[in-house]
Amino acid sequence: MLNIIFIGAPGVGKGTQSALIEKDYSIAHIATGDMLRENISNGTELGKTAKSYMDKGELVPDSLVIDMLKARITKDDCKNGFMLDGFPRTMEQAKELSSILDSLNYKISAVIDIFASEEIIIDRLLKRGRADDNEETIKNRLKVFESQSKPVLDYYNGKAKIIKIESVGTPEEVYARIKKELDSL
Ligand code: AP5
């Protein structure tokens, strides 16, 4: 069973690589950003609250995201493996995730530390043009990543295998690097 956590800056390619892994390994893809955007489209209370944070490039409060993740990861399809794309993003989320996984008796196979230069990231995001892909919000998302999410990698030091992947080249080239590592786990 393959249980993967992606940790990487906005626009580095977490979603792109998760989609390729999903196709090859048939494991559940849990993207908290996508789940929050779905809530916004559906006009839920969670979506209304989340939007005010997402528009500014700030993190949605831990309690809301943790409850959402918990409801998703306890679903049956995750029994065959899962990858987390965009969670955990704070120390609090990482600690809560550990206790959720313990209670389900799930182990983390690997944490993928995916990285690229800020120049590459900004270029990719401005080309994509999602609602939160404007220069000001991107800059704040990058700042929030450095201060709140990158330290989560330290939490996994010694707790899980950490795979470092440089996200340069085509998506297929990046994926080949990831696949090689996953197949040797
Ligand atoms: P989220 O949706 O997770 O956004 P993000 O982390 O900012 O990541 P992106 O989706 O922008 O980038 P990605 O790394 O997935 O890259 P992608 O593959 O799409 O979160 C959005 C917001 O939701 C947060 O700011 C926060 O407010 C909230 N949120 C979500 N989770 C939360 C949590 N746990 N706690 C609190 N708040 C939370 O690629 C980007 C672009 O680059 C695409 O156009 C793609 O086609 C292109 N691309 C990718 N790889 C390559 C390549 N190799 N070559 C060329 N182009 C490429």
Side-chain angles (χ1 to χ4, degrees):
M1 189 165 123
L2 201 54
N3 297 331
I4 305 165
I5 296 176
F6 265 102
I7 297 183
V12 75
K14 303 179 296 294
T16 303
Q17 296 304 321
S18 295
L20 294 170
I21 293 176
E22 188 181 13
K23 218 158 66 183
D24 253 1
Y25 296 87
S26 302
I27 58 177
H29 175 199
I30 304 179
T32 45
D34 290 347
M35 293 167 79
L36 292 168
R37 280 184 289 278
E38 204 178 307
N39 273 279
I40 293 174
S41 312
N42 293 337
T44 66
E45 283 308 312
L46 170 60
K48 280 176 201 156
T49 309
K51 189 175 184 314
S52 60
Y53 293 93
M54 293 167 79
D55 284 347
K56 290 184 279 188
E58 296 292 333
L59 295 180
V60 174
D62 282 336
S63 59
L64 300 178
V65 188
I66 289 166
D67 285 352
M68 183 180 79
L69 188 277
K70 199 169 178 181
R72 177 64 187 91
I73 207 165
T74 45
K75 291 204 168 146
D76 273 356
D77 62 335
C78 294
K79 287 183 182 160
N80 301 321
F82 56 82
M83 70 205 123
L84 300 183
D85 161 8
F87 188 100
R89 264 175 144 110
T90 63
M91 280 297 186
E92 179 63 25
Q93 291 180 20
K95 287 178 191 159
E96 280 292 330
L97 178 65
S98 292
S99 71
I100 295 168
L101 296 182
D102 282 350
S103 71
L104 294 166
N105 210 13
Y106 288 160
K107 300 265 175 293
I108 297 166
S109 316
V111 173
I112 301 182
D113 168 7
I114 183 165
F115 63 95
S117 70
E118 203 168 299
E119 199 186 345
I120 289 182
I121 285 174
I122 292 175
D123 181 58
R124 284 180 187 166
L125 291 179
L126 289 177
K127 274 187 192 141
R128 180 176 63 180
R130 201 170 69 192
D132 55 348
D133 287 341
N134 57 75
E135 212 150 348
E136 193 187 337
T137 308
I138 292 171
K139 289 224 165 93
N140 196 35
R141 282 157 66 198
L142 287 168
K143 214 166 81 190
V144 166
F145 174 74
E146 285 297 321
S147 63
Q148 298 189 57
S149 307
K150 209 170 170 186
V152 173
L153 278 168
D154 296 334
Y155 176 82
Y156 288 108
N157 241 325
K159 284 194 178 69
K161 185 180 168 65
I162 298 182
I163 299 172
K164 282 182 89 70
I165 299 288
E166 190 171 17
S167 185
V168 291
T170 65
E172 291 71 26
E173 283 166 348
V174 177
Y175 180 59
R177 281 172 218 141
I178 294 178
K179 185 168 168 53
K180 194 170 158 215
E181 294 283 348
L182 294 183
D183 288 344
S184 66
L185 282 177

